[in-house]
Amino acid sequence: PATSHQPPATNHQPPTVSVSLPTFLSIDQLATDAMLTLGEDAAHHMRVLRLEAGARVRLADGQGGRGAGTVVRVARRNATVQVDSCDFVEPLPPVHLVVPIADRERMLWLGEKATELGASSWRPVLFKRSRSVNPRGEGPVFQQRLRLRMASALEQSGGAWLPTPFPDSTVETSIAAAPEGVRVVLEQGGASIAELLSADRLAPVTIVLGPEGGLEPSELELFAAAGFRPASLGSSLLRFETAGVAALAVARAIRG
């Protein structure tokens, strides 16, 4: 008798493809059904990705808002996106970073990684040994470059919060601005940073990174008088940007 040549029955389903949507940062807070105007950088990125009206994108505002939207229009200098849905992401426990004014490129690299690791704020300080560095990352033009680098890092990492950037400051200003809580300054020979950060898991944390060559004794005395304790990341002498990444990683591992 004739036989059927139908393919055998199978329970296998086609694989589900997970598509990662590009993320764009808005300077305006997200709200469902709102129309957002994104700037020239976003419009350029969309053209590079060949996104047109109707394309789906992810959105963030750097202030806890995260959502999804639909591209309405892509022009030369801006793009319009409608917010389809959004929610609010609670901030992580606060970890504030006090950084040295140092080599520009190394500061930009640290700013990028600090964003990915969820630093709550970024405060650059002109230490005594910062003055010998050239070219230094300081001033309004550099601060704008830093914000752009942080924004790009937030888009890439899928985070919800940008670090709050503060202007260049002195040691005294950084101490006065530090919140009450766990205060540490990275210094060889100090106590284990993991032990210090585990002491009070609910208190805000402020981590001070010294410049290349370390802090001057007079600067260490000022921090010590304000309750900052020396903290060590191990026996190796680390560059400031490496120390910053390592300290933030430890803080986030302990405190979330």
Side-chain angles (χ1 to χ4, degrees):
T3 58
S4 171
H5 292 284
Q6 296 296 324
T10 175
N11 292 325
H12 294 299
Q13 299 295 325
T16 300
V17 179
S18 177
V19 179
S20 179
L21 298 177
T23 301
F24 295 93
L25 187 67
S26 169
I27 61 173
D28 299 315
Q29 287 188 314
L30 301 187
T32 302
D33 294 329
M35 284 289 184
L36 300 178
T37 300
L38 306 181
E40 188 171 352
D41 289 338
H44 173 73
H45 190 192
M46 288 183 184
R47 289 196 298 274
V48 169
L49 296 176
R50 298 183 178 179
L51 299 181
E52 298 177 346
R56 297 276 291 165
V57 295
R58 296 190 186 280
L59 299 165
D61 60 18
Q63 304 173 66
R66 209 161 50 181
T70 302
V71 176
V72 175
R73 176 175 174 268
V74 180
R76 181 174 179 81
R77 297 190 177 276
N78 56 56
T80 305
V81 177
Q82 178 174 335
V83 182
D84 299 326
S85 63
C86 65
D87 55 15
F88 181 79
V89 179
E90 292 291 337
L92 294 169
V95 178
H96 304 283
L97 202 59
V98 176
V99 305
I101 291 176
D103 176 80
R104 287 193 301 231
E105 291 305 316
R106 290 162 65 188
M107 287 183 73
L108 289 172
W109 184 87
L110 177 56
E112 176 183 293
K113 305 310 170 188
T115 303
E116 295 176 14
L117 287 165
S120 303
S121 72
W122 167 282
R123 186 179 296 276
V125 174
L126 186 66
F127 294 106
K128 291 181 179 179
R129 288 177 177 165
S130 294
R131 300 180 188 279
S132 62
V133 177
N134 186 40
R136 293 195 296 265
E138 60 185 341
V141 174
F142 173 78
Q143 289 165 8
Q144 180 61 26
R145 286 185 64 193
L146 177 65
R147 292 188 188 97
L148 291 174
R149 184 70 69 90
M150 287 179 168
S152 178
L154 190 77
E155 291 174 348
Q156 292 291 330
S157 65
W161 289 87
L162 280 171
T164 300
F166 290 102
D168 303 340
S169 64
T170 63
V171 171
E172 292 81 0
T173 300
S174 69
I175 291 173
E180 294 297 328
V182 179
R183 298 176 167 187
V184 299
V185 54
L186 297 187
E187 185 75 10
Q188 276 196 310
S192 164
I193 188 171
E195 293 180 7
L196 294 177
L197 298 186
S198 298
D200 185 351
R201 293 173 183 261
L202 298 179
V205 173
T206 302
I207 301 172
V208 177
L209 311 176
E212 293 300 312
L215 296 166
E216 293 281 355
S218 60
E219 293 170 330
L220 283 171
E221 290 174 2
L222 288 173
F223 282 115
F228 284 81
R229 298 183 61 184
S232 173
L233 287 163
S235 58
S236 298
L237 185 63
L238 303 178
R239 287 184 164 189
F240 78 89
E241 70 271 29
T242 309
V245 168
L248 276 171
V250 171
R252 284 295 171 228
I254 292 173
R255 293 166 174 264

